[in-house]
Amino acid sequence: EEPNMASSVKYVYPIAFVLVAFAACALGQHEDPFAGSNCTCDTFCNYECSIFPEPRQNLTLFRMTPNGVLDMHNKDTGDVTGDTSFVLSRRLQYYECLKDPSSFSCNGAMTKFNGDEKNSTDKIISFDIEVDGNWGPYLYCNPVNSSNPKGPWACTVELSPSNIPVPPQCKALNMTAFSGYCWKGFESSKQKVSGLGDCCALAHSQNKFRWNYDSDTQECELFNFGYYAQCPKNIYLGAETGPTPCNCSRVHQTMGRENLTKIYSNHKSVAPIGGEWYSHPEGGQCQNGAQIGDYNCTWRVVSTNKIINATCMYNAIDNVVEQEDPSCFNACPQPKNVTSECYLECYNSATERMTKEQLTKPWIQAWQSNDPTQGGCPSV
């Protein structure tokens, strides 16, 4: 859903953001979408249950999108809090990378995206969506060809995050690996092994979820504690990925929902105020005047309410954060240089003090008026 190749979990998935999404899970607990719902993948796929079902309802949801991509076929959306979290995360993750450029999550330009550019043409769209309330797992919806966002899109059940072919032995243990990254930390132990697959097996047998494999020395290093960093290509970072995602025809016919507060509770810069993201697989969309339940459709676009320039929203949110502590921002050598370490340090400190209501206020106001002096963003 979000602007292009330097983006996020909601839009085109370059390897850089895939690493961030993976790291957030690897550092915490992999989220099982069925946890606590009295529903399992098998019973869900047999149409016996859904994930925390609710009554049929209308929701106002939002899409951040490249200019000219206005439909909802195989797209993701967010609620007010979820998309405000996304906008804030671009600044907060960039600040993390300035402090530690070697960080696992700072490969490439993932913390910058077109919406931050003054000449961006990206848009944000407000939709009213009707959903049957029978929620499914959240899907990752992106262009089939990432260089052509106006072409067809598809929704998938996983990010396939590894940048190397992962041995079957690792996959069977729900583990993955990345070349050129490693864990660094303490309380580690090393042991000779015969390959990457054996390192996965050793980590699993000792109940370790962070490990490195050195292909030159054939050593497997297991960590109790660690942080991720860039390393030579002969070093492989390994971690648990969680169970195989649920994948059946119903998954691709059901509107999915993801609770960011739960998913990223241990990685606040990714979703600083939580919120929810939603997936809209084309297989469940009501089309040509069909209503919920007709032809087994599960969601429909009721109306497109308003389209605004993304730059208007980003500026509005930045202004509110700056107003929280103007003395800090004004003390910076370049108070409006949004990529400077001084600006971002002030930004990080301000958002930590602000409430969810304060941070979402500019998002809400943007849709209520076309008058910028009233906090509104003009329709385009």
Side-chain angles (χ1 to χ4, degrees), residues 85-154:
S85 270
F86 174 80
V87 176
L88 294 169
S89 75
R90 302 305 87 193
R91 296 271 187 258
L92 301 178
Q93 289 187 27
Y94 190 35
Y95 177 57
E96 283 190 357
C97 292
L98 280 178
K99 291 192 298 180
D100 182 13
S102 68
S103 172
F104 182 72
S105 61
C106 300
N107 180 38
M110 57 72 56
T111 50
K112 290 186 177 181
F113 63 117
N114 280 356
D116 269 342
E117 298 173 2
K118 288 184 287 188
N119 297 322
S120 169
T121 61
D122 294 331
K123 302 292 185 279
I124 308 178
I125 310 173
S126 169
F127 293 97
D128 279 349
I129 304 289
E130 184 180 21
V131 59
D132 67 359
N134 293 312
W135 301 106
Y138 178 78
L139 301 176
Y140 307 100
C141 301
N142 294 287
V144 173
N145 179 353
S146 61
S147 64
N148 180 26
K150 293 184 180 180
W153 288 51

Side-chain angles (χ1 to χ4, degrees), residues 40-86:
T40 67
C41 179
D42 288 343
T43 53
F44 176 84
C45 291
N46 287 331
Y47 294 84
E48 298 172 18
C49 61
S50 56
I51 301 174
F52 299 111
E54 297 174 342
R56 179 170 164 175
Q57 60 189 289
N58 281 23
L59 299 171
T60 299
L61 301 175
F62 306 91
R63 249 194 70 68
M64 298 181 183
T65 185
N67 190 30
V69 183
L70 306 179
D71 66 274
M72 282 296 298
H73 307 316
N74 290 330
K75 304 298 193 302
D76 292 331
T77 62
D79 65 4
V80 170
T81 307
D83 273 356
T84 302
S85 270
F86 174 80

Side-chain angles (χ1 to χ4, degrees), residues 23 32 36 48 58 77 86 101 110 161 176 192 223 267 271 279 287 316:
D32 176 5
E48 298 172 18
N58 281 23
T77 62
F86 174 80
M110 57 72 56
T176 192
K192 281 277 190 178
F223 289 85
H267 202 77
S279 54
Q287 302 191 55

Side-chain angles (χ1 to χ4, degrees), residues 146-218:
S146 61
S147 64
N148 180 26
K150 293 184 180 180
W153 288 51
C155 296
T156 59
V157 298
E158 61 183 336
L159 294 175
S160 301
S162 181
N163 61 353
I164 60 165
V166 179
Q169 193 173 3
C170 297
K171 290 182 179 180
L173 297 171
N174 294 321
M175 289 184 167
T176 192
F178 292 92
S179 172
Y181 293 90
C182 64
W183 295 105
K184 293 187 176 181
F186 51 95
E187 294 190 19
S188 68
S189 60
K190 290 184 179 181
Q191 185 171 323
K192 281 277 190 178
V193 293
S194 60
L196 182 57
D198 282 349
C199 192
C200 288
L202 178 64
H204 179 76
S205 69
Q206 297 192 20
N207 202 31
K208 304 294 185 185
F209 306 113
R210 300 171 180 86
W211 49 267
N212 296 333
Y213 173 68
D214 186 329
S215 60
D216 288 351
T217 64
Q218 290 191 308

Side-chain angles (χ1 to χ4, degrees), residues 252-270:
H252 297 276
Q253 296 169 349
T254 306
M255 193 164 149
R257 179 171 60 174
E258 182 165 79
N259 184 322
L260 303 181
T261 305
K262 292 174 62 179
I263 297 288
Y264 298 113
S265 61
N266 294 327
H267 202 77
K268 293 287 287 185
S269 67
V270 177

